[in-house]
Each structure stands twice: as C-alpha cells, then as structure tokens.
C-alpha cells in the first residue's frame, strides 16, 4: 500500500512536469508521460499480460492496460498516463475501503480466546485452548476471556456474554453454573472444569457459523456472478464495434477518435463495484446480527428474512417461558390462600411432575416429614395423608369422584383442586408465564405488516388467552407435534409467492417445522447444540424480540445491496452511453469504475453498523408479563 | 481432515472465487471455502491425499494470485 502511494506520487510528479514544461512532444514529453505511466502502472500491465497468458482476458487489469496503452498508441500521452494514475489512486482507495471492512469484520469476530490457564497439580500454565481436554481444570482471572465451555467448580463472578448473546447486562454465576467460551470474566477468579474441547466449544461454533455463512450465496450474489459472466465479454464486443464500425461507416470520422471512445467505454465497463460490494453488504449484515446474538446461517436466509410475510411462533418455550408457575389461588370460604397452597404443596412434595414442582416452588420452605400414604392416581392427581387427614390434590374428575363439586376458575390455565378430609378447599391456577418481550415482539412484527400466528399443543382456551394477551389473533390449538407440521404446510400454501414464512420454536421438539419453514428460527441457542445445528437462524438468548430485529437488519442489508447495484448500474450505464457518444473523457470513465467501487464498498460497510435498537441498548419490556 | 489457512494480500473477489473452485476441483478435496473478507481458506480433504492436495492447492493459488502469502492456522 505504501509502495503504491510512493509510485503514484513519483508518477504524478513526472506527469505534472511534462504538463508544465514548454518543450516539443517528442521526445521529452513522451518520455516523461511514459515514465509516469510505467512507474504508476507497471504491475497492472504485467498482471494483464500474465492473465492473458493464462487465458483470462476480460479482467480489470486487461481493460486498463488496453485502454491506457491504446491511448499512447493513438498519441494521447497525457490521457494514457493520467488514466493509469487515476486508476491506481482509485485502487488505493478501494483497497483501503476493503481493508477497513476487513478490519471491522475482524473486530467483530475477535471473540476467539487465544489462551487458557491450565491447572496442573500445583502450578497453572498458560496453554493454547486446543491443548485442553474435557475434564481438565482451568483458571479464569478477572478481565480474561473464557477459553472453553465448562462448569464453575470454585469461585463466583459476573460474566459479560455480549459477544455470544448480544445481551449487555452481565450475568452472575456461581459454583455449579455453566459458563460459555467467548464470554468475559468481569469480576472474580474462578476455576472451571472444562466440558468441551476447543473445537466443540460455543465460541468456535459461532465463529465458524458466521464465517461460513458467506458460502450460502444470496440470490443477488448469484445474479451478480451470472451478470459478470455475460456482461464483460458483451461490453468488450461493443467496444470493438465502437472502435471499428463508425470510422468505416461515417465519412470523415477519425479512427483515433473512435478508438478513444471505445477505450473509455472499456474502462467504465469493469463490474468490480458489484462483485465486491454486494457480498460485502451481506456479510456485513450477518456480522451485525451475530453481534446482537442472532446467528444467520447464510446470506440466502438473510435475503429470505427480508421478505418475511408471516411469523409462526410455537407457544411454549418460545413466546412463554415454558415454566409453570402458580398464577392464582381460589380458596373456598373459610380457607386462606396460604392454607390452600401449603396443603397442596405438601401432598405433592414427593412428586416431580411439572405441576408439583410449580406448587413446591410457591411454598419452598415446607417440611414434608408429616406426609404419609402418598398415592398417585394417574390421570387424576394424588392423595396423601397429612396430619391424619386425607388430602386430595388433582383435577376436576378427582373431586367429582370423591363427591365434591369443583369450581373451575375463570382464567385460562391448568386448575388444580384441593380437598381435605372430604371438604373442598378451593383451586389453584397454574399457568405458563409469558416472556417479557413477547408482546413487544408481536407488536413490532405487526407494525411491519407481518402476520403473526401462534401454534400450541395446549387446550384452545389456554392458547387463546395467551395469544390475546400478546395481541396475536391467529391461534391454532390444540395441535399434536405432527399436526403442527401439517398446519405449517397449510400456512405455507396460503402465503403469497414472494412472501416468506418464518417459524420460531425452541429447537428441541420442532425440528421438522424448523426444516420445513422458509426460515427456521431456534430460540435459546446458547448451550443448545441441537438448536444451532438444525435451524437456519439461531437466537442465542430467549428473546422473541430478536426476530423483528433480525428482519430489520435483513431489510437494511438488502436495501444497501440494492442501492449498490442500482448506483453502480446507473452510473455505469450513463458513462457507457456518454463515452460511446464521445462526450465523456477517460477520466470520467475511470471515476465511473473505481470511484463507484469505492463508494459502493463504503456504503456496504453501513450494513455492519448498528443503527437503532442495536446491542447495548436494551429495549424495556413493552407490556408487563401476565 | 480439515485444514485452515490465512491468505494474505488476497485482493480480488473474482480471484477468491476462482481459487475456491480451483481447489475444490483437486483430486481428494471434499470441499474448499474461501472467505474473501476474513481471508480464510478452509480445505477439507481425504486424509491420505491431503499432503498432495495441499501442494496442488498452493499451486492453484500461485497461478491465480501470485502475490498471496499462505499461512496455516
């Protein structure tokens, strides 16, 4: 880069000297111009000859060499030298722009840890992460990047996982907690028992995913490749026609004039601006998304995402937390809520059923000792003896069987009825909790004119109520796992031809649906390898609001790529016409080539930058969870 | 067997694409991927043909872009 700068400077000096010297064209001026040309552009000519030998004509160096050498041949020395100088300056800028984008990408991806502090009997040695095996102990000091996935065996700390999940708030972790490679240890000294080798660890997976994403080409990229294949030879042919036909056909037309026009035409024609800037825009968009904890597995998916027309959410684990909680208590007259909960929790104290767990979570510090004769009645509930009295905890059928009339609660959820000593005590409503940002995600999608559908395996009343609280009006429930896929097929048939259907699930039970949708999104990817493997897009955190965010990024990326395509094609088309008509000079032509490339590359860098709602700014929950 | 290389001075997108497909065509190479932006080349080859394939790959790179420096990572 420096060498090129010096060459341009020397070439420019020779050029200006020739321009201001008042001597005849031959030999002094010619020598100065030619020296300027050679100093600035010898590598271009050599490259062109080399490519020609290998049978690769129609590339940039060839076009430039033909144009500049041609200018010398027809006696336009200043033009030949100037165009080469201008071209090299443009290349310098373009390299700078590419270099800058490479550096930004490197920064973005520089989350790979370079060493691990391996604990060996007495001492701690610094080794490369590849040398550590699962089962080894490593020490992570404050400020260091966690090199491998593992479990904290001693110490506690807060970690910054923003590089992995885009979540900027540090997370507190103590002994026994899982810790992921690529996160940064913020405060305490911890010892970690390694669970995965370097190649298998989270950070490696994320990086290879992002790096390989460019392998899956978008439609626009494929278009550019195809376009370039036909375009360059076509332009070359057109240039030959311009150089030869008019001088023969038009009376008084000079060959040199038309050759000059043809050369300018050639210079403009180089498709570089498109070839570099479009893939760069896509890579930038993918990089941007990964910074926010959204992994998009290919430029093609990014492109499809921008056409999203419908987003189908699975309910449990995606829009809701998938954890059952006691939501409401309905004690019968003369009974306190406290008594009701306590009795139910005690009777269920030996069970590990999700409902039992939620009851116990509501009354954690109870003593299960005085409970005896616990019996599970499959499909009904449990009975137990507490303090000598028989307690029944279960569904409505259990109550009816014991001769009591259960009072179903008005809210949706799973009701659990409690009776003690033959007397009805009341009911407890257990329900799944909606995630904080679910309603916000639905609202953002609807604002973007994207349809939202919810599928659920739960009873219709439960699903419908959750949907209503989130503002979703299209609900399909109850669906068995294979019915979900059928429903998805139905929705796929209904969508418009251009539109895309996005399916978001937790990645565990939804594999067929994830595969079938145009874009399958797995939630909660951090720590779930299966989800990362099967989905087209992985959201590292549990936040559904990342889906509208990803769509926004994809739209922005496509807009930038589109701008580049339109800008390059319009400028080039105009320059091609102007140079064929002989209105423009070769200088303009060089600008139309390298200038446009530079601007397009710089424009595509915007795809990498955050903009509104980027990582670091946490959107407050838009609606309180119910 | 997967090997990764860094390609310094890789400065043309078209060349990157040609190198990628040129290497993919080598006998014994299962896949080759060259990321222009990270300048990273990933070659997946059959174990017994790896050494030979890498030699050929270096030649392909040299032919398409002579200025490129290859470094294994």
């Amino acid at each position: 880069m420096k060498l090129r700068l010096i060459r341009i400077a020397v070439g420019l000096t020779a050029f200006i000297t020739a321009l201001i010297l008042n001597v005849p064209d031959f030999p002094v001026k010619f020598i100065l111009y030619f020296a300027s040309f050679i100093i600035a552009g010898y590598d271009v000519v050599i490259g062109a000859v080399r490519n020609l030998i290998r049978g690769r004509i129609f590339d940039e160096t060839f076009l430039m060499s033909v144009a500049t050498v041609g200018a010398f041949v027809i006696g336009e020395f200043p033009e030949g030298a100037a165009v080469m100088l201008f071209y090299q300056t443009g290349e310098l800028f373009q390299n700078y722009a590419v270099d800058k984008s490479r550096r930004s990408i490197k920064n973005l991806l520089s989350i790979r840890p370079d060493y691990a502090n391996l604990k060996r009997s007495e001492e701690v040695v610094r080794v490369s992460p590849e040398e550590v095996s699962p089962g080894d102990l490593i020490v992570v000091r404050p400020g260091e990047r966690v090199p491998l996935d593992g479990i904290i065996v001693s110490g506690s700390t807060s970690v910054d996982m923003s590089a992995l999940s885009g979540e900027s708030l540090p997370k507190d972790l103590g002994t026994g907690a899982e810790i992921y490679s690529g996160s940064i240890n913020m405060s305490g000294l911890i010892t970690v028992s390694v669970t995965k080798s370097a190649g298998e660890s989270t950070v490696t997976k994320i990086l290879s995913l992002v790096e390989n994403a460019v392998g899956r080409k978008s439609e626009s990229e494929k278009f550019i490749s195809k376009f370039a294949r036909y375009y360059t030879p076509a332009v070359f042919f057109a240039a030959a026609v311009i150089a030869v036909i008019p001088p023969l056909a038009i009376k008084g037309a000079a060959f040199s004039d038309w050759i000059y026009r043809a050369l300018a035409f050639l210079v403009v024609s180089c498709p570089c601006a498109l070839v570099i800037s479009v893939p760069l825009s896509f890579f930038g968009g993918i990089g941007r998304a990964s910074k926010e904890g959204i992994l998009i597995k290919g430029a093609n998916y990014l492109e499809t995402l921008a056409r999203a027309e419908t987003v189908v959410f699975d309910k449990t684990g995606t829009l809701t937390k998938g954890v059952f909680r006691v939501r409401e208590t309905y004690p019968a007259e003369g009974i306190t809520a406290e008594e009701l909960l306590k009795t139910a929790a005690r009777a269920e104290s030996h069970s590990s059923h999700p409902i039992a767990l939620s009851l116990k979570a509501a009354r954690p510090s109870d003593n299960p000792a005085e409970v005896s004769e616990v019996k599970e009645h499959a499909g009904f509930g449990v009975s137990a003896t507490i303090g000598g009295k028989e307690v029944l905890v279960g569904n409505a059928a259990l109550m009816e069987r014991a001769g009591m009339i259960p009072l179903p609660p008005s809210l949706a959820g799973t009701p659990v009825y409690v009776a003690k000593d033959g007397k009805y005590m009341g009911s407890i409503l257990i329900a799944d909790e909606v995630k904080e940002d679910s309603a916000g995600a639905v609202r953002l999608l609807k604002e973007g004119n994207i349809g939202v559908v919810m599928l659920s395996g739960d009873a219709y009343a439960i699903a419908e109520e959750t949907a209503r609280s989130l503002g979703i009006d299209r609900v399909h429930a109850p669906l068995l796992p294979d019915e979900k896929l059928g429903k998805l097929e139905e929705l796929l048939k209904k969508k418009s031809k251009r539109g895309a259907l996005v399916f978001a699930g937790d990645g565990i039970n939804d594999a067929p649906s994830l595969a079938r949708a145009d874009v399958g999104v797995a939630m909660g990817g951090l720590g779930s390898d299966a989800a990362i493997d099967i989905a087209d897009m992985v959201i590292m955190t549990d936040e559904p609001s990342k889906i509208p965010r990803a769509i926004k990024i994809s739209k922005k990326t496509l807009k930038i790529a589109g701008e580049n395509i339109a800008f390059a094609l319009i400028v080039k088309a105009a320059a091609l016409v102007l140079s064929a008509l002989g209105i423009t000079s070769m200088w303009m032509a060089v600008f139309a080539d390298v200038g446009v490339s530079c601007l397009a590359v710089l424009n595509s860098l915007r795809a990498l930058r955050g903009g509104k709602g980027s990582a670091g700014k946490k959107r407050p929950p838009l609606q309180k969870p119910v | 067997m997967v090997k990764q290389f860094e390609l310094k001075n890789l400065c043309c997108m078209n060349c990157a694409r040609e190198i990628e497909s040129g290497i993919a065509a080598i006998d014994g190479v299962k896949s080759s991927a060259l990321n222009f932006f990270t300048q990273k080349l990933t070659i997946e080859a059959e174990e017994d043909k790896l050494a030979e394939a890498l030699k050929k790959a270096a030649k392909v790179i040299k032919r398409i872009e002579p200025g490129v420096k290859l470094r294994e990572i």
Side-chain angles (χ1 to χ4, degrees), chain A residues 203-369:
Chain A
V203 68
T204 312
K205 284 220 155 137
I206 292 179
L207 282 177
S208 71
L209 238 160
V210 174
E211 282 175 0
N212 295 333
V214 284
R216 299 185 206 220
K217 304 267 188 286
S218 64
E219 288 303 317
S220 352
E221 287 170 279
K222 283 183 199 156
F223 164 73
I224 297 299
S225 308
K226 245 189 235 161
F227 178 77
R229 212 177 304 146
Y230 297 108
Y231 167 82
T232 317
V235 161
F236 211 81
F237 181 72
V241 170
I242 291 172
V244 179
I245 307 290
L248 293 179
I250 304 167
K251 253 202 171 125
F255 257 107
S256 60
D257 180 32
W258 284 95
I259 290 175
Y260 179 86
R261 291 182 189 190
L263 293 177
F265 189 87
L266 274 188
V267 172
V268 185
S269 69
C270 183
C272 271
L274 298 175
V275 170
I276 294 185
S277 73
V278 172
L280 182 60
S281 313
F282 278 99
F283 196 53
I286 290 171
R288 174 73 241 164
S290 82
K291 183 134 203 158
E292 295 183 26
I294 305 163
L295 298 184
I296 300 170
K297 285 208 203 157
N300 53 340
Y301 300 124
L302 190 72
E303 196 173 42
T304 312
L305 209 55
R307 292 190 278 114
E309 183 180 273
T310 313
V311 177
V312 180
F313 285 101
D314 184 38
K315 176 178 157 274
T316 308
T318 308
L319 288 171
T320 67
K321 291 179 179 168
V323 180
F324 289 94
R325 286 258 167 84
V326 170
R327 189 164 143 193
E328 211 42 89
T329 49
Y330 301 93
E333 254 191 53
I335 311 271
T336 63
E338 176 78 14
E339 269 178 282
L340 179 68
L341 265 177
K342 198 159 82 181
T343 312
R346 281 181 179 171
E348 294 270 13
S349 61
H350 295 286
S351 169
S352 59
H353 189 272
I355 286 179
L357 293 179
S358 65
L359 286 171
K360 277 187 276 184
R363 296 270 324 148
S365 57
D366 218 29
N367 176 18

Side-chain angles (χ1 to χ4, degrees), chain A residues 50-51 54 56 95 98 101-102 105-106 109 112 210-212 214 217 221 224-225 228 271-272 275-276 279-281 283, chain B residues 4 6-15 17-18 20 33-40 42 62-67:
Chain A
R50 207 187 61 223
N51 287 344
R54 290 187 351 234
R56 293 195 337 158
N95 279 357
V98 168
S101 55
R102 274 190 182 147
I105 286 164
K106 232 178 207 162
L109 300 179
R112 194 191 296 281
V210 174
E211 282 175 0
N212 295 333
V214 284
K217 304 267 188 286
E221 287 170 279
I224 297 299
S225 308
C272 271
V275 170
I276 294 185
L280 182 60
S281 313
F283 196 53
Chain B
Q4 281 202 322
E6 190 186 40
L7 267 56
K8 274 230 166 98
N9 300 332
L10 179 69
C11 55
C12 133
M13 190 87 196
N14 273 327
C15 307
R17 216 171 273 165
E18 275 180 43
E20 190 178 84
L34 177 52
N35 187 327
F36 177 71
F37 306 111
T38 55
Q39 295 167 286
K40 206 181 265 177
T42 312
K62 188 127 202 125
R63 182 166 55 85
I64 294 168
E65 269 217 88

